[in-house]
Amino acid sequence: DGGITQSPKYLFRKEGQNVTLSCEQNLNHDAMYWYRQDPGQGLRLIYYSQIVNDFQKGDIAEGYSVSREKKESFPLTVTSAQKNPTAFYLCASSIPLGEKLFFGSGTQLSVL
Amino acid sequence: AQRVTQPEKLLSVFKGAPVELKCNYSYSGSPELFWYVQYSRQRLQLLLRHISRESIKGFTADLNKGETSFHLKKPFAQEEDSAMYYCALSGQGNNDMRFGAGTRLTVKP
């Protein structure tokens, strides 16, 4: 199905390693988001982007980086500075200004 | 800063009973409020939003600015309503959607 695609479904990170999670959408949405989902804590906003070549930090941006070179793509890099990276990561997109979000199926990141 | 609070992590009701999932928020401007739902093995999806004033799958939610609440209600719960429910808020004219911690609803037969 089209919409918003996250890959891989499962990802493992070694100590000191950077890993990149992919998020692609074919909905022609301007805004894209990354959330981290931990049990009992709901979704916490990592980064969001309202247009190409622009992005803002969310509530827990430390240890993460993003880029938005294309409208369709919003990759998230989990750097070695993120000391507790094990979590479920969700990407979403929307048309601008508070409209509803469309979510991907998520990536489970674990530390080896 | 905006904050969304869902005080109940777990909620269990019997089929046919009324259900209310609580959501309180704090935001200094004009908020846009949403309820999202995640059924087992499905993606997180929008259930309803306050500006639409709609009823989806029998659920309604009223924005109470005085109490800063946006509780989700259904008069007669069904087993298929069992899911994880998230309340969310974005500022009017903004894109920074914030979510609550979620409430897991279980509807027992």
Side-chain angles (χ1 to χ4, degrees):
Chain A
D1 61 323
I4 184 161
T5 302
Q6 290 186 242
S7 63
K9 194 170 182 178
Y10 300 97
L11 187 58
F12 297 91
R13 193 191 90 166
K14 295 179 182 178
E15 288 287 336
Q17 186 183 38
N18 293 354
V19 291
T20 297
L21 285 63
S22 171
C23 179
E24 304 277 332
Q25 53 100 0
N26 62 3
L27 300 169
N28 200 33
H29 286 167
D30 286 306
M32 296 187 75
Y33 311 75
W34 275 106
Y35 291 91
R36 172 177 168 143
Q37 190 174 28
D38 295 280
Q41 296 195 53
L43 280 70
R44 291 184 289 168
L45 184 63
I46 305 173
Y47 271 98
Y48 66 102
S49 167
Q50 301 187 73
I51 55 171
V52 174
N53 292 322
D54 181 65
F55 48 83
Q56 285 81 41
K57 293 182 179 180
D59 299 322
I60 55 165
E62 188 174 346
Y64 300 97
S65 66
V66 293
S67 63
R68 187 83 188 278
E69 297 176 2
K70 298 187 299 181
K71 189 175 186 178
E72 302 79 21
S73 178
F74 191 41
L76 174 74
T77 296
V78 184
T79 74
S80 56
Q82 173 49 246
K83 299 306 178 188
N84 184 24
T86 297
F88 191 66
Y89 291 85
L90 280 169
C91 180
S93 70
S94 74
I95 64 174
L97 304 180
E99 291 291 327
K100 73 175 186 178
L101 271 59
F102 291 81
F103 282 88
S105 55
T107 293
Q108 176 65 49
L109 175 63
S110 302
V111 177
L112 288 175
Chain B
Q2 60 222 64
R3 177 187 286 273
V4 179
T5 303
Q6 292 179 252
E8 304 140 329
K9 289 190 175 180
L10 302 170
L11 185 61
S12 182
V13 301
F14 284 101
K15 177 182 173 181
V19 62
E20 180 179 67
L21 290 84
K22 292 184 167 50
C23 173
N24 290 91
Y25 68 90
S26 62
Y27 186 65
S28 56
S30 294
E32 300 268 2
L33 275 297
F34 305 79
W35 276 98
Y36 283 81
V37 60
Q38 188 167 28
Y39 301 104
S40 179
R41 287 187 283 278
Q42 292 188 29
R43 297 186 185 197
L44 194 59
Q45 59 187 287
L46 179 70
L47 179 63
L48 55 81
R49 51 189 300 196
H50 88 274
I51 65 171
S52 301
R53 295 186 173 274
E54 57 200 344
S55 173
I56 303 294
K57 298 185 178 184
F59 285 97
T60 60
D62 291 317
L63 177 60
N64 186 324
K65 291 189 177 181
E67 295 183 359
T68 60
S69 68
F70 188 56
H71 303 328
L72 183 68
K73 300 177 184 179
K74 184 169 182 177
F76 307 103
Q78 302 299 315
E79 290 181 68
E80 55 266 29
D81 296 328
S82 295
M84 193 74 179
Y85 291 81
Y86 293 95
C87 183
L89 175 154
S90 70
Q92 209 170 57
N94 295 327
N95 274 109
D96 52 346
M97 185 86 70
R98 297 307 202 284
F99 286 77
T103 297
R104 181 168 296 284
L105 173 66
T106 301
V107 181
K108 296 180 285 187

